[in-house]
């Protein structure tokens, strides 16, 4: 009998069957892990109420992820130590069981791929499916299996939907850095008992006369002649008002193309909607083959957007 694994290329990763919904596959995996005796398609169908034909397609994925092992009889499976731990968690409750599945799958190739892709924030469903296809070294013919795998990760809570329709890692962004507090959040100095602002120790209040020992030669001459020194003119100007210090622009949170108009914005808006941001650090993790596949996908998106704009891609 030919297994699903033997139909794959040597370097392709096994993904769950596309003939059952993700929640149904979780129920089959749960029944297989909780059984104390070897089970096959017929026993899983009796325990879950699903068809035996579809139930027989689920255990291979559980074997590949370390939850089940093959028994002494063909097409029969038994829970592994990891699978028995998942079964004990399900015996405590549904949430405990799903948490055990999350812990068992987060170290698998698809769990690592999702954490890497979602490390900087939410991503569209299409972006995560594309990441799974690349990580599995699969062709576009297996895109439906990739969708089911993503649904499986959502079902167990490893990937969670956001309110805006995007998907996020269940622990939030892994690499997001905290932004510095705004300037107006700096604590104000408390006024002194006399109602005036206290001067820090060692600081000289504005307008106070400097002793001769700490005056510069130009300031000493100005104090003697009554005329402002060259340094004072540079600092305060003719009107004796100090110029405002230069300020550093605050980080921009919006897209530049959203605030511009014209041909440049028209060319970028579709790409901004269709393509999530890609960091250089993400590209360094890809192999040469993955970079070639990514280039092909980007060319396809560029051709599509060019067709919508009505002119060919250079």
């Amino acid at each position: 009998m030919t297994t699903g694994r033997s139909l794959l290329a040597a370097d392709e990763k096994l993904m769950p069957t596309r003939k059952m919904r993700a929640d149904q596959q979780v129920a089959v995996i749960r029944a297989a892990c909780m059984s104390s005796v070897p089970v096959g398609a017929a026993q899983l169908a009796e325990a879950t109420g699903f068809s035996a034909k579809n139930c027989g397609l689920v255990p291979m994925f559980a074997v590949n992820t370390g939850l089940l092992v093959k028994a002494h009889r063909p097409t029969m499976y038994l829970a592994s130590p990891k699978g028995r731990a998942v079964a004990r968690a399900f015996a405590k409750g549904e949430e405990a069981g799903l948490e055990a599945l999350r812990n068992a799958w987060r170290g698998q190739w698809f769990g690592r791929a999702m954490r890497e892709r979602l490390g900087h924030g939410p991503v569209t469903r299409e972006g995560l499916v594309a990441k799974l296809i690349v990580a599995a070294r699969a062709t576009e013919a297996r895109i439906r299996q990739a969708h089911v795998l993503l649904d499986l990760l959502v079902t167990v809570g490893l990937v969670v939907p956001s309110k805006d329709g995007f998907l996020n890692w269940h622990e939030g962004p892994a690499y997001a850095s905290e932004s510095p507090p705004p300037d107006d959040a700096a604590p104000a100095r408390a006024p002194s008992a006399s109602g005036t602002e206290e001067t820090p120790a060692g600081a000289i209040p504005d307008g106070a006369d400097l002793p001769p020992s700490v005056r510069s030669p130009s300031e000493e001459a100005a104090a003697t002649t009554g005329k402002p020194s060259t340094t004072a003119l540079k600092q305060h100007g003719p009107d004796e008002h100090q110029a405002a210090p230069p300020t550093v622009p605050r980080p921009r949170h919006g897209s530049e193309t959203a605030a511009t108009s014209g041909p440049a914005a028209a060319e970028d808006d579709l790409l901004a909607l269709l393509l999530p941001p890609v960091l250089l650090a993400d590209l360094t993790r890809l192999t040469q083959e993955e970079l070639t596949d990514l280039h092909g996908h980007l060319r396809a998106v560029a051709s599509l957007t060019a067709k919508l704009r009505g002119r060919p891609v250079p």
Side-chain angles (χ1 to χ4, degrees), residues 147-170:
H147 276 283
V148 174
L149 177 54
L150 182 57
D151 291 337
L152 202 60
L153 300 180
V154 172
T155 300
V156 302
L158 203 62
V159 176
V160 295
S162 302
K163 294 182 180 179
D164 53 5
F166 285 60
L167 296 169
N168 202 357
W169 185 250
H170 73 108

Side-chain angles (χ1 to χ4, degrees), residues 2-89:
T2 303
T3 63
R5 181 61 183 174
S6 61
L7 297 177
L8 302 178
D11 58 344
E12 287 189 35
K13 305 292 185 181
L14 182 67
M15 289 191 282
T17 178
R18 58 182 176 83
K19 295 185 178 181
M20 288 190 76
R21 298 199 315 265
D23 58 329
Q24 295 174 341
Q25 296 194 46
V26 170
V28 173
I29 293 173
R30 172 181 178 174
C33 289
M34 297 189 73
S35 176
S36 58
V37 296
V39 292
Q43 292 79 9
L44 293 174
E46 182 179 357
T48 60
F50 305 131
S51 68
K53 181 179 179 180
N54 289 339
C55 287
L57 301 174
V58 177
M60 278 308 300
F61 179 75
V63 170
N64 192 254
T65 56
L67 298 178
L68 300 178
V69 295
K70 290 186 177 181
H72 60 282
R73 294 176 55 188
T75 67
M76 298 293 286
Y77 306 92
L78 189 64
S80 66
K82 185 186 296 184
R84 290 195 293 271
V86 170
R88 290 192 296 270

Side-chain angles (χ1 to χ4, degrees), residues 51-303:
S51 68
K53 181 179 179 180
N54 289 339
C55 287
L57 301 174
V58 177
M60 278 308 300
F61 179 75
V63 170
N64 192 254
T65 56
L67 298 178
L68 300 178
V69 295
K70 290 186 177 181
H72 60 282
R73 294 176 55 188
T75 67
M76 298 293 286
Y77 306 92
L78 189 64
S80 66
K82 185 186 296 184
R84 290 195 293 271
V86 170
R88 290 192 296 270
F90 270 113
K92 298 177 182 178
E94 185 74 13
E95 290 300 324
L98 294 179
E99 182 180 1
L101 280 179
R102 288 197 297 271
N103 294 332
W105 283 349
R106 65 187 301 149
Q108 297 292 324
W109 64 269
F110 48 84
R112 297 193 305 269
M114 291 296 94
R115 186 178 186 273
E116 177 184 347
R117 186 65 184 87
L118 294 168
H120 296 280
V123 178
T124 62
R125 180 181 182 88
E126 289 73 16
L128 294 183
V129 170
K131 177 65 176 179
L132 289 174
I133 290 291
V134 173
R137 301 180 182 273
T139 62
E140 294 183 358
R142 299 178 63 198
I143 192 170
R144 290 184 60 186
Q145 286 182 272
H147 276 283
V148 174
L149 177 54
L150 182 57
D151 291 337
L152 202 60
L153 300 180
V154 172
T155 300
V156 302
L158 203 62
V159 176
V160 295
S162 302
K163 294 182 180 179
D164 53 5
F166 285 60
L167 296 169
N168 202 357
W169 185 250
H170 73 108
E171 294 177 342
Y175 313 120
S177 59
E178 297 182 359
S179 58
D183 296 338
D184 53 16
R189 290 179 294 180
S192 62
S194 61
T196 60
E197 190 174 88
E198 292 182 354
T199 303
I204 301 176
D206 295 337
D209 292 333
L210 297 176
S213 59
V214 296
R215 290 177 182 169
S216 64
S218 59
E219 291 172 339
E220 180 66 24
T224 305
T225 60
K227 296 180 181 180
S229 64
T230 305
T231 306
L233 288 175
K234 290 181 179 180
Q235 292 179 347
H236 301 285
D239 56 356
E240 298 184 357
H241 289 288
Q242 186 175 2
T247 58
V248 179
R250 298 179 63 82
R252 292 172 294 179
H253 300 286
S255 173
E256 289 185 0
T257 58
T260 60
S261 59
E267 292 177 0
D268 294 340
D269 58 353
L270 290 177
L271 290 177
L273 289 174
L274 294 176
L275 296 179
V278 178
L279 300 180
L280 182 60
D282 294 332
L283 298 180
T284 58
R285 299 187 181 97
L286 301 181
T287 63
Q288 183 177 0
E289 182 180 358
E290 291 171 343
L291 286 174
T292 303
D293 294 339
L294 178 61
H295 178 267
H297 291 310
L298 292 177
R299 288 285 300 175
V301 173
S303 300

